Amino acid sequence: MKTNPKLKTPEKALQTKSLTGLLEQSEDIKDLVEECVEELSSVNTTRKEIAGTHNQPTDVGDLLEKNEATEAKMGQAVDELSAVNQALEVEVDVHHLLKQRLNMVTQDEIAARHAAFHDPLTGLPNRELFVNRLEHGLAQAKRHGWNLAVMFVDINNFKDINDTHGHEIGDAVLKIIAQRLEQGTREVDTVSRYGGDEFLYLLMEFGDINDVKIIAEKITNVIAVPCQLSIGELIIKPSIGISICPKDGITVFDLIKRADEAMYVAKRTKSSYAFAQ
């Protein structure tokens, strides 16, 4: 039995790795099927002519041989097509598997990157990300002549909350405060958890000092809304220290340090907020 030299055996088709190669092989099978259809059509036409003219039996023998050869080629095409379909199924399965693995790796990378720059408890940017944002903000402020402010927000008597009600309640308070701060933050600003019960707020471009006071009062009021907890209501009050660039410093270290010092002034004087002096 002769076979089409362009086609691979079914076993080789199963070993095909290239999707392009499989598609090319499918085209070869299509050509073989069309060739078989033409040959069968020719055999049928000749058979009818023989039947009408009563030709010699040898002619019939030739037709039978040709018909068998064509059927064999058709069988080869069927086997080859089956093998190619199996190989395509394997290729598709491999493609889906690779896609799933790529998605998993991408998700893991995103999660790892988020974990590296965000606080695990509150989900807010952590100290490293805040410093990066502040450095970028300082560069922008210098380039455009903007003012910016850093607010150091501390929760009053937070240690008492932990000691009295436990760390689970303390963590719940921090989550609530973080959510409230984040909801009131402009897109260009950044609020982060600096550590413990301390938060840092980066206020980008503003008009004058009154704008900063308005934001500080807004933060105070939103934090003071009673927290609904499993133990009942808790009213939280903050102390906020504020430093202004360039008046109080032009570096990350200086602005955070001056805001921290101002926060202790606010705490000592029992004020909601205080500016660096």
Side-chain angles (χ1 to χ4, degrees), residues 158 161-162 165-174 229-231 234:
F158 184 74
I161 294 175
N162 276 334
H165 305 291
H167 289 281
E168 185 175 343
I169 295 299
D171 287 348
V173 169
L174 292 174
L229 302 162
S230 60
I231 59 169
L234 277 183

Side-chain angles (χ1 to χ4, degrees), residues 27-44:
E27 288 296 320
D28 290 340
I29 295 172
K30 177 184 175 184
D31 293 341
L32 179 60
V33 171
E34 291 176 351
E35 181 182 329
C36 291
V37 170
E38 291 177 2
E39 290 179 1
L40 287 174
S41 177
S42 175
V43 168
N44 288 333

